[in-house]
Amino acid sequence: MAFVCMNMPYTMDVEQAANAVAAFQPAVVYPFHYRGPEGLADTEKFKSLVQAAAPNVDVRLRNWYPEN
């Protein structure tokens, strides 16, 4: 299981995070910490990129920021 941060400019962007997950292929991945100064990262895009590159990875999206 992996938790992947993707809030620019502090960590990876969506593409970098998806590439990282595709490289180490955890069984399950949760994108989190995806709110940055420009708003929320595109978690649906992250999920589609991971599924295209590593279809065996279970991407689980959660609403970590319910006020948005």
Side-chain angles (χ1 to χ4, degrees):
M1 182 175 297
F3 290 84
V4 177
C5 299
M6 50 184 198
N7 72 330
M8 291 303 291
Y10 309 108
T11 62
M12 297 179 280
D13 64 23
V14 171
E15 290 82 8
Q16 291 168 328
N19 287 337
V21 168
F24 71 89
Q25 297 196 18
V28 176
V29 64
Y30 289 91
F32 83 112
H33 200 74
Y34 53 84
R35 180 171 58 189
E38 302 297 318
L40 300 178
D42 188 347
T43 55
E44 290 293 339
K45 181 178 179 182
F46 170 79
K47 182 175 183 175
S48 68
L49 290 171
V50 171
Q51 288 177 332
N56 58 319
V57 175
D58 181 8
V59 180
R60 298 182 184 175
L61 302 180
R62 299 294 185 265
N63 183 11
W64 303 107
Y65 305 103
E67 68 275 1
N68 290 323

